[in-house]
Amino acid sequence: MIKNINIVIISSLPDKSMKSIGNKALIDFHGISLIEHQINNIRTIYKKAKIIIVGGFEHKKLQDKIKAKKNISYVYHEYNDYVNVGMAIKNVLPILTNKPTIIMNIGFIFNPNIIASLNLDKDNVMINNNNKNFESKIGCITDKKGRVEFIFYDLEKRLCEFIYLNTDGVTMMKSIQTNIRNNMYLFEILNKLINMGMKLKISETNQNILHFDHMKKLKQTQNILKKLKNANTT
């Protein structure tokens, strides 16, 4: 398993259905905030990873929550109703070193064992989840070798809000920094990179992964994080 890695957690953008409750990274689950749960989960796999938190919406509260954490960097961008993941990516790219990098959404609720089982190394990878309970708006089309050709809404191979980039992938993303618009979705950026020749593969799983993007998923999120917290303390 790769140990020298960047992990970017995008926590700067509210989901439209959850904006009224504030930044969901700050929601308390079993005594600690969601962002702290995510940091703890990551540390069970990548103990020495450089974790980069991207803040925007309610960023001062988020920054205060993590300022005492070790080996955590914080990047901030201005937030308004017209910015998207593109703004977050543009602001984090300048501080990324050219080493493998994971980019994930704060609402990507996962069992660390799933990430550990991906055997991340040479390829750029996204997770295709075949679990019947998994909900995702984004999917992809792949070629016969399992390489992603196109990412868009409602395609059959459902994708998680998670991408692993190898060093070449990071270099390629940096090369288009000035062409990334503030309102771009991550999948639009990835489609641009695919068109430039980036090889992106999918890794399949049937495990239960949750996108916490609506308050109706609050109970599910509570249950998963409780199990993970208990597992991390035993």
Side-chain angles (χ1 to χ4, degrees), residues 91-102:
N91 279 268
V92 81
L93 284 175
I95 71 166
L96 282 186
T97 53
N98 284 331
K99 59 185 180 183
T101 297
I102 287 172

Side-chain angles (χ1 to χ4, degrees), residues 9 11 24-43 51 53 62 64-69 72 106 225 229 232:
I9 306 177
S11 310
K24 65 184 175 185
L26 301 172
I27 298 176
D28 185 280
F29 291 97
H30 314 294
I32 61 175
S33 63
L34 177 57
I35 189 64
E36 291 172 292
H37 277 285
Q38 297 291 49
I39 291 170
N40 292 342
N41 288 338
I42 289 167
R43 290 289 186 225
I51 299 177
I53 310 296
L62 179 60
D64 286 343
K65 180 63 68 174
I66 60 147
K67 64 183 178 182
K69 301 288 184 181
I72 303 285
I106 181 61
L225 292 177
K229 184 180 180 183
N232 291 340

Side-chain angles (χ1 to χ4, degrees), residues 192-204:
K192 184 180 286 288
L193 294 174
I194 291 167
N195 290 337
M196 291 172 58
M198 186 179 80
K199 294 180 180 179
L200 175 59
K201 292 187 176 181
I202 58 170
S203 181
E204 296 187 354

Side-chain angles (χ1 to χ4, degrees), residues 10-177:
I10 298 177
S11 310
S12 56
L13 305 164
D15 295 288
K16 291 181 180 179
S17 61
M18 299 176 69
K19 187 174 181 180
S20 62
I21 66 167
N23 190 323
K24 65 184 175 185
L26 301 172
I27 298 176
D28 185 280
F29 291 97
H30 314 294
I32 61 175
S33 63
L34 177 57
I35 189 64
E36 291 172 292
H37 277 285
Q38 297 291 49
I39 291 170
N40 292 342
N41 288 338
I42 289 167
R43 290 289 186 225
T44 65
I45 326 167
Y46 301 109
K47 297 187 184 303
K48 296 183 179 180
K50 179 180 180 181
I51 299 177
I52 304 166
I53 310 296
V54 185
F57 178 56
E58 294 195 335
H59 89 96
K60 290 184 178 179
K61 293 180 182 179
L62 179 60
Q63 188 174 26
D64 286 343
K65 180 63 68 174
I66 60 147
K67 64 183 178 182
K69 301 288 184 181
K70 294 182 179 179
N71 203 19
I72 303 285
S73 297
Y74 183 78
V75 177
Y76 160 73
H77 67 77
E78 293 289 340
Y79 170 75
N80 60 56
D81 290 338
Y82 304 100
V83 301
N84 209 319
V85 175
M87 184 71 152
I89 296 295
K90 284 174 64 175
N91 279 268
V92 81
L93 284 175
I95 71 166
L96 282 186
T97 53
N98 284 331
K99 59 185 180 183
T101 297
I102 287 172
I103 301 173
M104 57 176 275
N105 186 285
I106 181 61
F108 173 67
I109 311 299
F110 64 99
N111 186 321
N113 293 329
I114 297 173
I115 309 303
S117 69
L118 293 179
N119 193 28
L120 301 175
D121 186 8
K122 296 180 180 179
D123 299 316
N124 301 299
V125 176
M126 294 192 78
I127 302 173
N128 168 217
N129 195 323
N130 297 313
N131 189 293
K132 65 179 182 179
N133 295 318
F134 177 68
E135 296 180 4
S136 177
K137 299 175 183 177
I138 302 298
C140 71
I141 298 170
T142 59
D143 63 17
K144 293 180 180 179
K145 295 182 178 180
R147 290 180 297 202
V148 178
E149 294 183 321
F150 185 63
I151 307 170
F152 201 67
Y153 295 107
D154 300 324
L155 295 178
E156 183 178 359
K157 293 184 182 294
R158 295 168 297 165
L159 298 173
C160 298
E161 295 182 67
F162 170 103
I163 183 166
Y164 168 84
L165 296 173
N166 60 23
T167 53
D168 290 340
V170 173
T171 299
M172 187 175 286
M173 184 175 279
K174 283 187 170 187
S175 75
I176 65 165
Q177 180 180 347

